[in-house]
Amino acid sequence: MEGIEHRTLNVNGINMHVAEKGKGPVVLFLHGFPELWYTWRHQIVALADQGYRAVAPDLRGYGDTDAPKEVTSYTYFHVVGDLVALIESLGVESVFLVAHDWGAMIGWYLCMFRPDLVKAYVCLSVPFRPRNPKMKPIPTMRAFLGDDYYMCRFQDPGMEDEIAKYGSEAILKKILIDRTPGPPRLPKENPFGISTNDKLPLWLSQDDLNYYSTKFDQKGFTGGLNYYRALDLNWELTAPWTGVKVNVPVKFVVGDLDVVYTTPGVKEYVHGGGFKKDVPMLEGVVVLEGAAHFINQERAQETNSHIYDFINKF
């Protein structure tokens, strides 16, 4: 990771930490939960070497970026607003966008709200989710997936205390290395299924885990959890955008063991025509065999190639 520079920018009323490397067209990387700019360490180096300026912020609530306490400070409008100000501060008119997990969700709304700022979008793991005006997210998830579904459990204000029982390192390790397909569930007893026998895979070193856990020890998990806690509020606020299509060139890459991809209904949406209908400029869907959720780390070289091959066309 030699040569990665770090700085703090004031954007949209918060201080945002940004890691960057390289010169050329900007590639903006958005991380998910529970991650940091660091999740893109392999992509930053690879894209910088290929003639791009790779920029990866800690999103609001994470790492060395400010973390407002109120759930209401984590709407799509706040986070997309941060990115609009970040892009302006970089001195460019538009960027290539690469995003994963919650970053991918934010990425879809950046494309929807400000398509003029995005040349093309490489989306990892989380496809677009059109707003259903008759189905509020959390009550719908409770009805179809149960109270133990992780997004429902994350609504609990006591979740931070449950995480604290195990410690940041144990929680992060479990989430990052888990390869169980299907919708994640957090039962009341041992919700994270922590086992002392879990070994780190080759793609995640102890030093990597230490970096993550140190930052989460400092910042806590509330910022990241607040994205989930604002889901119903976002549903209310985005009513005017019901039915709006995403008109940006998109490539979607996902692992066949991914927890989102293997959630009931997602494969049908991705491959059955719904995705292409909502995202008319969807140019390709790539399913990586034997890969789980964190493909940008687990399958870094393949992910790098898919990103470069797509954005290099524009």
Side-chain angles (χ1 to χ4, degrees):
M1 295 196 297
E2 192 173 333
I4 296 179
E5 298 179 353
H6 298 266
R7 57 186 175 134
T8 299
L9 301 173
N10 187 267
V11 297
N12 195 28
I14 66 168
N15 294 310
M16 173 175 275
H17 165 249
V18 176
E20 62 179 301
K21 184 179 183 182
K23 294 182 179 180
V26 172
V27 184
L28 178 61
F29 293 93
L30 309 180
H31 69 81
F33 177 89
E35 298 180 277
L36 305 161
W37 75 268
Y38 189 82
T39 189
W40 301 111
R41 57 197 179 278
H42 306 297
Q43 286 72 40
I44 292 171
V45 173
L47 271 295
D49 288 346
Q50 290 169 316
Y52 291 90
R53 181 184 176 190
V55 178
D58 286 333
L59 295 178
R60 71 163 55 205
Y62 287 93
D64 294 321
T65 293
D66 287 350
K69 293 182 180 180
E70 303 81 7
V71 172
T72 53
S73 294
Y74 290 83
T75 71
Y76 297 141
F77 297 96
H78 289 84
V79 188
V80 170
D82 299 343
L83 300 176
V84 170
L86 172 59
I87 292 168
E88 182 180 3
S89 74
L90 295 175
V92 296
E93 292 184 356
S94 58
V95 300
F96 292 110
L97 182 65
V98 181
H100 172 259
D101 190 80
W102 253 108
M105 287 287 289
I106 299 303
W108 289 118
Y109 281 89
L110 174 60
C111 292
M112 185 186 293
F113 295 159
R114 294 298 304 272
D116 58 305
L117 298 181
V118 182
K119 298 176 189 176
Y121 179 23
V122 179
C123 177
L124 309 182
S125 298
V126 179
F128 181 63
R129 295 180 179 182
R131 182 184 185 276
N132 187 324
K134 297 180 180 179
M135 301 176 76
K136 201 170 188 176
I138 297 303
T140 300
M141 292 175 193
R142 289 192 192 281
F144 285 94
L145 297 169
D147 290 338
D148 285 348
Y149 181 56
Y150 78 109
M151 291 195 194
C152 300
R153 291 277 275 119
F154 282 175
Q155 306 305 308
D156 183 353
M159 180 51 62
E160 287 88 337
D161 292 335
E162 291 197 48
I163 289 172
K165 292 177 186 176
Y166 301 96
S168 297
E169 181 177 335
I171 294 294
L172 291 164
K173 179 181 177 182
K174 177 62 179 178
I175 293 174
L176 289 169
I177 71 173
D178 189 37
R179 303 180 66 77
T180 308
R185 302 185 187 283
L186 303 178
K188 298 291 185 182
E189 296 297 324
N190 192 13
F192 294 96
I194 302 294
S195 170
T196 54
N197 297 322
D198 289 336
K199 294 182 179 180
L200 291 175
L202 292 175
W203 55 267
L204 185 71
S205 71
Q206 186 61 47
D207 285 344
D208 295 332
L209 187 59
N210 290 345
Y211 185 88
Y212 281 117
S213 59
T214 297
K215 293 298 181 182
F216 277 90
D217 282 340
Q218 293 169 353
K219 184 72 75 176
F221 284 80
T222 299
L225 292 171
N226 279 346
Y227 285 74
Y228 296 94
R229 293 165 178 166
L231 278 168
D232 281 351
L233 176 58
N234 275 317
W235 178 83
E236 294 173 8
L237 294 174
T238 54
W241 285 268
T242 301
V244 171
K245 299 183 186 303
V246 176
N247 287 305
V248 168
V250 173
K251 181 178 186 176
F252 179 65
V253 187
V254 68
D256 66 351
L257 301 177
D258 188 286
V259 294
V260 177
Y261 185 63
T262 53
T263 294
V266 174
K267 289 182 185 179
E268 292 79 2
Y269 173 73
V270 169
H271 301 289
F275 195 11
K276 179 68 172 176
K277 180 181 177 182
D278 293 328
V279 186
M281 299 174 74
L282 176 67
E283 295 192 18
V285 172
V286 177
V287 181
L288 301 182
E289 263 188 65
H293 186 61
F294 297 95
I295 51 175
N296 52 313
Q297 297 178 82
E298 179 185 344
R299 302 279 274 272
Q301 289 186 337
E302 284 176 79
T303 301
N304 297 346
S305 295
H306 284 301
I307 294 168
Y308 177 76
D309 290 348
F310 188 59
I311 66 175
N312 189 47
K313 299 194 301 183
F314 298 92

